[in-house]
Amino acid sequence: MPDLKKYLPVPFVDLNIQYESIKDEMETALKSVFTEMTFIGGRFVQQFEQDFAKAYGVKHVISCGNGTDSLYIIMKMLGIGPGDEVITVANSWISSSETITQTGARVVFADVHPEYYSINETQLKQKLTSRTKAVVAVHLHGQVCEMDFIQSFCKTHSLYLIEDCAQAHFSEYRGTKAGLFGIASSFSFYPGKNLGAYGDAGCMMTNDDDLATKLRMYARHGALKKHEHQIEGVNSRMDSLQAAILSVKLHHINKWTNQRMAHAALYSRLLSEVKEIVLPRVRPHSKHTFHLYVIRCKDRQELMRSLKEKGIETSIHYPTALPNLKAYQYLNHTPADFPVASQLQNEILSLPMFPELTEEQIKYVAKSIRQFYS
Ligand SMILES: *Cc1c(COP(=O)(O)O)cnc(C)c1O
């Protein structure tokens, strides 16, 4: 069956081209999983955990079912629960906040930084109470949060710093990779992420030996050895097929990340004259890996429609800031409590972004945007 998306001039993401480029390697890897018939656990999962740990220079990588599980398991094993508060950012995917609630703790939202779209670190102080236990820093779009400030804030107030790196594989801040600043960090390998499996997968990362043991145990029904359940846990594991796929893709991630960054630079160069849009800014001293290239724009609906007519797919991450969702009505916030996030939700637009985008496609998108406003 032909993939209809292939015939769009510029799809938002195209996973097919990448697959074609690594098909032989991928098929060899998958064949060995089928030959060995080890689908859960086993050497492929171990291998990926080792490979990913090595790529990050971290002691422990614990694979799990998906990025949402990894956030929940980290918080649960840090002892976060009823009576506690955890601060996170007003614009993210709901995993960042719903997992706080899953532990029994209360979500406390901080507004978004007006220029960098990650958590506004200067709000942490006013969100702090005697119940605050942790901060979940989300490196949204691939842009690392202001880690100097956040790290020292967490240290001063004895808070756990947890990093949600679902959109920030191999992003850096002052030469350190995102994911290595806090007590533990969470990664998603959802297919569309910068490092994506062909199904659900995720992992947790930490340099803390005790925590690593707990994370692994909790994700495996509370048992490190089969049938020896020390606690009740959950079932959250990466399957061998996904692990084998990720190990193959890990060989190529540097190239793909560089391609994303080059595409972002080209977009920014070609769009720099358009007064009606605001281009993404990269935080100083950091490496933004552009999971998403997000602009702010005037007349968003009309622009999206006009681009769609030209075969250009765009998307919004996210159309409703978390505190404005029905799911958080119980917190009794109004949009005015989060002025930046509430304004951004109406202006942000994610342009097509994936490593295999061509220069022609980027030029076509930029030209179409310029035409729309002229
Ligand atoms: C994708 C994502 C997650 C969740 O990952 P899943 O693997 O889909 O569970 C969490 N946080 C952020 C910021 C994400 O983008």
Side-chain angles (χ1 to χ4, degrees):
M1 276 295 284
D3 176 2
L4 289 179
K5 269 197 171 176
K6 256 188 168 161
Y7 300 103
L8 265 187
V10 198
F12 185 68
V13 173
D14 187 328
L15 298 176
N16 215 282
I17 312 173
Q18 185 170 92
Y19 174 65
E20 292 295 330
S21 76
I22 51 172
K23 203 172 176 176
D24 293 343
E25 250 182 295
M26 199 56 96
E27 286 177 357
T28 308
L30 294 181
K31 215 172 265 171
S32 40
V33 178
F34 289 127
T35 307
E36 295 183 26
M37 287 281 144
T38 48
F39 295 113
I40 303 290
R43 75 173 179 98
F44 298 98
V45 176
Q46 259 173 20
Q47 187 66 50
F48 176 69
E49 288 182 344
Q50 277 171 25
D51 295 346
F52 202 57
K54 189 157 173 235
Y56 268 82
V58 71
K59 274 167 95 177
H60 306 282
V61 165
I62 300 104
S63 58
C64 64
N66 56 68
T68 310
D69 281 359
S70 61
L71 282 168
Y72 167 70
I73 295 168
I74 290 168
M75 285 190 264
K76 188 82 183 165
M77 288 301 98
L78 288 172
I80 292 165
D84 297 334
E85 292 177 359
V86 178
I87 304 172
T88 194
V89 66
N91 181 30
S92 183
W93 178 240
I94 194 167
S95 302
S96 312
S97 51
E98 72 183 350
T99 49
I100 296 170
T101 314
Q102 277 163 25
T103 67
R106 186 173 173 88
V107 184
V108 176
F109 288 113
D111 205 357
V112 170
H113 193 288
E115 283 175 25
Y116 302 120
Y117 311 154
S118 49
I119 192 167
N120 186 344
E121 65 279 356
T122 63
Q123 289 216 335
L124 287 174
K125 196 153 197 170
Q126 72 198 73
K127 301 291 175 179
L128 185 75
T129 73
S130 58
R131 293 164 176 252
T132 311
K133 271 286 168 61
V135 173
V136 175
V138 185
H139 307 305
L140 204 71
H141 308 162
Q143 170 108 281
V144 187
C145 305
E146 191 53 65
M147 296 317 284
D148 273 354
F149 187 100
I150 297 173
Q151 212 178 20
S152 84
F153 180 87
C154 288
K155 207 169 168 195
T156 305
H157 300 284
S158 304
L159 309 176
Y160 291 125
L161 170 56
I162 300 158
E163 297 175 76
D164 180 344
C165 303
Q167 300 190 4
H169 309 78
F170 299 98
S171 294
E172 291 179 15
Y173 176 92
R174 294 193 193 277
T176 299
K177 289 188 186 67
L180 300 177
F181 289 90
I183 178 78
S185 53
S186 151
F187 286 80
S188 165
F189 304 114
Y190 179 82
K193 299 286 159 84
N194 284 21
L195 182 60
Y198 292 157
D200 274 316
C203 82
M204 303 167 273
M205 185 181 277
T206 183
N207 276 312
D208 184 307
D209 298 339
D210 287 344
L211 180 62
T213 306
K214 284 186 190 166
L215 296 174
R216 192 173 290 282
M217 187 163 71
Y218 193 72
R220 314 282 183 266
H221 298 287
L224 286 170
K225 280 193 191 151
K226 205 167 185 178
H227 304 305
E228 293 181 21
H229 306 275
Q230 319 216 10
I231 52 172
E232 289 181 323
V234 294
N235 177 17
S236 183
R237 51 201 178 197
M238 182 187 288
D239 66 66
S240 308
L241 283 170
Q242 303 311 332
I245 288 160
L246 288 167
S247 283
V248 168
K249 285 194 165 193
L250 192 55
H251 294 142
H252 303 275
I253 189 68
N254 280 339
K255 181 184 71 197
W256 292 334
T257 302
N258 289 336
Q259 286 172 326
R260 286 176 181 275
M261 292 169 71
H263 298 336
L266 183 57
Y267 268 133
S268 292
R269 189 156 62 75
L270 297 173
L271 292 169
S272 61
E273 307 287 299
V274 185
K275 288 185 311 295
E276 292 84 354
I277 66 179
V278 178
L279 300 173
R281 287 187 57 178
V282 178
R283 200 184 291 281
H285 319 295
S286 75
K287 177 174 167 182
H288 186 326
T289 53
F290 287 98
H291 172 58
L292 297 167
Y293 184 89
V294 179
I295 61 168
R296 291 171 67 177
C297 60
K298 257 177 91 171
D299 307 320
R300 182 174 64 182
Q301 281 320 106
E302 292 76 8
L303 174 61
M304 282 183 91
R305 198 174 317 124
S306 149
L307 293 175
K308 195 175 173 192
E309 276 163 17
K310 295 180 168 163
I312 299 166
E313 268 186 334
T314 55
S315 189
I316 301 170
H317 301 86
Y318 296 93
T320 308
L322 293 169
N324 300 335
L325 287 169
K326 193 169 173 211
Y328 292 103
Q329 240 172 26
Y330 71 93
L331 292 173
N332 289 318
H333 287 303
T334 67
D337 296 336
F338 303 95
V340 179
S342 299
Q343 187 181 347
L344 284 179
Q345 72 180 21
N346 301 321
E347 298 178 354
I348 48 178
L349 183 68
S350 307
L351 301 184
M353 176 55 87
F354 51 94
E356 298 76 15
L357 264 181
T358 64
E359 200 172 311
E360 289 65 40
Q361 286 175 310
I362 295 170
K363 285 179 173 164
Y364 177 63
V365 175
K367 192 174 94 186
S368 305
I369 293 174
R370 287 198 305 264
Q371 275 172 354
F372 172 78
Y373 288 115
S374 65

